[in-house]
Amino acid sequence: MRGQVLGVDPRTGEGLVAGQDGQRYRFAREDWAHRGEPAIGLEVDFEAANDRALSVFPMPTAPGPRRAVPAEALPTNDRNKYVAAVMAFVIGTLGIHRFYLGRTGSGIIMLVLSITVIGLIISAPWALIDMIRYLMMSDEEFAARYPRKR
C-alpha cells in the first residue's frame, strides 16, 4: 500500500503513516527499510498488518514540473556607459568622466595631472583606456560596477 508519513518521533524513531485507504498506520524504527531517516510528508510504500506499517520504503520521486523562477533583478543604473565613454574621449584628460561615475578620488588625480604636460602624457592614455573599457563592458557589469550611492 502507498501512503504519506504524517509524523516521526526523532527520539524513538516511531512514526505514523496515512495510507491511501484512509487508515493510519504506526511504524517503528525497525520497520523503516531504507537508509536515512523518515521525514514528514514523504511518500512511502509499505505492507499493512492490522494498524502497523511494515517494510516502509520511500517512493522514488520523479522530478515534478519546474516552477518558473523569477529572474533576479538586474542591476539598474541611471548612468550611461556611452555618455561616460564620450566624456572620456572628449575631455578625458580632465577626469570629468570619473566624477560622472562617482570615482571622485581618481577624478581629482586626473584633474591635477592635467595641469602639467607630463601629467597629460599620463592622463591621456588613462582616459583612452577608460573609454575602451566602458564600451567593452556589458550593461549589467557597468551597472554593477558603477552603482549610484545614496
Side-chain angles (χ1 to χ4, degrees):
M1 180 181 307
R2 293 190 181 183
Q4 185 176 20
V5 176
L6 294 177
V8 179
D9 184 356
R11 292 174 290 151
T12 63
E14 294 179 355
L16 190 63
V17 175
Q20 285 180 331
D21 61 355
Q23 300 293 326
R24 294 184 179 194
Y25 300 91
R26 292 177 299 137
F27 67 91
R29 186 180 308 260
E30 24 319 319
D31 296 323
W32 184 253
H34 190 266
R35 283 181 279 171
E37 297 293 322
I40 295 173
L42 189 64
E43 296 288 329
V44 293
D45 187 29
F46 62 96
E47 295 176 22
N50 297 329
D51 67 339
R52 303 273 312 158
L54 305 172
S55 301
V56 182
F57 285 94
M59 294 293 297
T61 56
R66 294 185 178 236
R67 294 183 198 164
V69 178
E72 292 181 20
L74 296 174
T76 58
N77 199 347
D78 58 345
R79 297 176 175 143
N80 190 320
K81 71 178 187 175
Y82 299 110
V83 171
V86 168
M87 290 173 90
F89 182 73
V90 176
I91 51 175
T93 56
L94 298 175
I96 305 300
H97 63 287
R98 290 280 179 160
F99 289 107
Y100 172 71
L101 296 175
R103 308 285 194 204
T104 54
S106 58
I108 291 171
I109 291 172
M110 289 183 83
L111 189 59
V112 170
L113 283 175
S114 66
I115 295 172
T116 65
V117 174
I118 294 173
L120 283 174
I121 294 172
I122 295 170
S123 63
W126 187 0
L128 184 65
I129 291 169
D130 279 348
M131 179 197 70
I132 293 168
R133 280 185 46 238
Y134 302 151
L135 293 175
M136 298 294 287
M137 269 187 224
S138 68
D139 291 335
E140 293 81 19
E141 182 183 357
F142 185 83
R145 188 174 293 221
Y146 302 108
R148 175 72 66 179
K149 296 174 185 161
R150 293 186 182 194

